[in-house]
Amino acid sequence: MNLAYIPSPSTGVIHLGPIPLRGYAFCIIIGVFVAVWLGNKRWIARGGKPGTVADIAVWAVPFGLIGGRLYHVITDYQLYFGEGRNWVDAFKIWEGGLGIWGAIALGAVGAWIGCRLRGIPLPAWADALAPGIALAQACGRWGNWFNQELYGRATDLPWAVKISEGPNRVAGTYHPTFLYESLWCLGVAALVIWADRRFKLGHGRAFALYVAAYCVGRGWIEYMRVDEAHHILGLRLNVWTSIVVFVLAVVYLVLSAKLRPGREEVVEPDRGPAASDPETKAETKAGEGEADEAEGEAVDAGADAPATAEAEDSGPKPDAEAPKAAKKL
């Protein structure tokens, strides 16, 4: 008998009068705010304008939600279109079911549209947002806890999650894979922030590092899950997806470092070089000092001009009557 475990909430919905407050949606909303907040700080540090990240997120988030839902419905179509299923349930996003792969893919399309409208490079924006996305996933995974879903194999470990009897689930204690992934995402965010500061990642490489690191964790966590899924050659579909996406991310990291080394000097054309670069700051201050000195000299010269003119006016004037006197003589 397992005496220590993580309890699950009795319900994933709390009603505030006629308004239902769903834990799953609440976790996603918190994640979005965290991602935008951190992304905005990192964007400003790179020389961007405040608010740009949020403006582009207005495009990226809806696209991401649609993409995440589409991926889930397509890869788990039997849950909505199988015998005895109701296809209308495919639209009930509040009941859970978002695929991160589809969310990132279609969310990138929305971000590309937003970046095009603002005239900024998508890779730079993605680099600024990368650790924030990992934190958003860390928050969003707790929505699975509210819904009592996506847990792992049965276990009696002290940190096992207790699942109650319900549709498509058997009561017992299981590996809390939602917790494992949440903690992994926190580590991914820390890794990206550290690597970005240490190596000055640019041109999409911070985002690629986030993708690669996440795939490593998702692969082994996915392998532990027991929910219904399609299998290919004995592995779950999402394990194969993790492997393929990991390889693509690493290839991008290597090729990008060779073809476009360093980091973007300007992320928003009308903002100039990144404000966080110490050398840029020193050059900017030096330039401002020279400009102030030149301006001071100009002011001093302007102040001396009236005095000089006055001095010239007060000097001896040519005798206008001299020619007339000469004629008389």
Side-chain angles (χ1 to χ4, degrees), residues 77-108:
Y77 61 87
Q78 72 281 355
L79 300 177
Y80 306 100
F81 304 102
E83 185 178 352
R85 304 289 184 172
N86 186 358
W87 64 271
V88 176
D89 292 341
F91 297 94
K92 297 179 180 179
I93 192 173
W94 55 86
E95 293 183 354
L98 289 174
I100 185 61
W101 316 111
I104 293 296
L106 207 56

Side-chain angles (χ1 to χ4, degrees), residues 150-168:
L150 304 187
Y151 43 84
R153 295 187 290 270
T155 182
D156 58 357
L157 291 171
W159 56 83
V161 61
K162 187 174 184 180
I163 301 297
S164 60
E165 188 74 26
N168 302 317

